Amino acid sequence: MARHRRDLHLKPLGARRATGLRICGYGLLGIAIWPCWILFALSVGIVAWIGILSAAAISLAALLAWPPCLAIWSKAFHLTASMAERIRGAAR
């Protein structure tokens, strides 16, 4: 959505590119039901697929709602990862 791209300070998409991305997204959603269908029967697989989609939607909504908090966690993770890499490099 244009509003979400604006909230994340991204450039607006053109109509053609937005339509292409929307079609790809619907296709990937359709393909995503396949592993659930294979792991479970069709009836349980559809319920598991909807549950996984719900969890992904909640996490995406949280990402869009709390960017300052996530930026702090991202910086903390980056700092921790860089320190771990330096320690690993010094141990070699």
Side-chain angles (χ1 to χ4, degrees):
M1 293 180 68
R3 181 181 64 180
H4 297 311
R5 292 190 62 82
R6 189 174 52 248
D7 290 343
L8 294 173
H9 306 291
L10 298 173
K11 294 179 183 177
L13 290 176
R16 186 173 182 173
R17 186 171 186 131
T19 303
L21 288 173
R22 191 172 293 123
I23 290 170
C24 287
Y26 288 137
L28 289 172
L29 282 174
I31 292 170
I33 199 168
W34 189 261
C36 292
W37 189 352
I38 291 174
L39 289 174
F40 311 105
L42 180 61
S43 60
V44 177
I46 290 173
V47 173
W49 179 68
I50 291 171
I52 292 168
L53 289 179
S54 299
I58 290 170
S59 62
L60 181 62
L63 283 172
L64 290 173
W66 300 316
C69 180
L70 291 175
I72 292 170
W73 281 105
S74 173
K75 289 178 184 177
F77 175 76
H78 179 68
L79 179 64
T80 305
S82 64
M83 288 178 7
E85 187 63 33
R86 287 183 184 178
I87 290 171
R88 185 190 303 169
R92 290 182 188 177

